[in-house]
Amino acid sequence: MNDLDSCEPLYSLIGENPDFSDLVDLYVERMPLRIADIERAVSDENRSALETFVHQLKGSAGGYGFPRISELAAIVEDQLRSDEDIQQILAVLNDVICLCRRVRAGGPSQNAL
């Protein structure tokens, strides 16, 4: 099973680091706003805004310890810049959003039973 087939929480690679945990917490807290911006750009058919939001997500996700989101956002950004068919873009974008919905603060060891 790959990371896109999972329903498991997606933790930051730096989420348990005390120097970064508060920043990661805030990033995770604001993720629903990022998702809403992306979804609004799609529904408005605003390709330029979508490219901006995806570009921001690509940079921020990697910086906050979510490299898989960053990798997929980079693919979407490349697709948008190359004028690829919107259906192909949306297929990858849906994967990005799926991963974004799974982000969690902290780390797996904090949630152990």
Side-chain angles (χ1 to χ4, degrees):
M1 172 165 51
N2 68 39
D3 58 356
L4 297 174
D5 296 331
S6 176
C7 294
E8 295 292 316
L10 183 63
Y11 294 103
S12 168
L13 298 177
I14 60 172
E16 292 183 295
N17 182 322
D19 294 333
F20 299 108
S21 62
D22 288 343
L23 293 171
V24 173
D25 291 351
L26 186 58
Y27 185 76
V28 168
E29 182 180 310
R30 292 183 177 166
M31 185 59 78
L33 298 173
R34 286 179 175 79
I35 295 168
D37 286 340
I38 290 169
E39 290 176 333
R40 188 171 30 262
V42 169
S43 70
D44 291 347
E45 298 180 11
N46 188 337
R47 202 171 178 122
S48 175
L50 180 58
E51 186 175 335
T52 297
F53 294 136
V54 168
H55 175 77
Q56 292 170 347
L57 182 63
K58 176 187 75 171
S60 65
Y64 284 92
F66 298 101
R68 183 66 174 134
I69 293 173
S70 186
E71 292 166 8
L72 288 177
I75 292 169
V76 173
E77 183 180 32
D78 289 344
Q79 290 175 318
L80 287 163
R81 289 183 175 168
S82 68
D83 261 350
E84 197 160 320
D85 176 69
I86 192 65
Q87 294 307 314
Q88 291 176 321
I89 294 169
L90 292 177
V92 181
L93 186 61
N94 285 334
D95 291 341
V96 172
I97 292 170
C98 174
L99 286 176
C100 287
R101 287 194 167 114
R102 291 177 35 213
V103 299
R104 299 291 182 272
S109 66
Q110 294 176 347
N111 295 314
L113 298 178

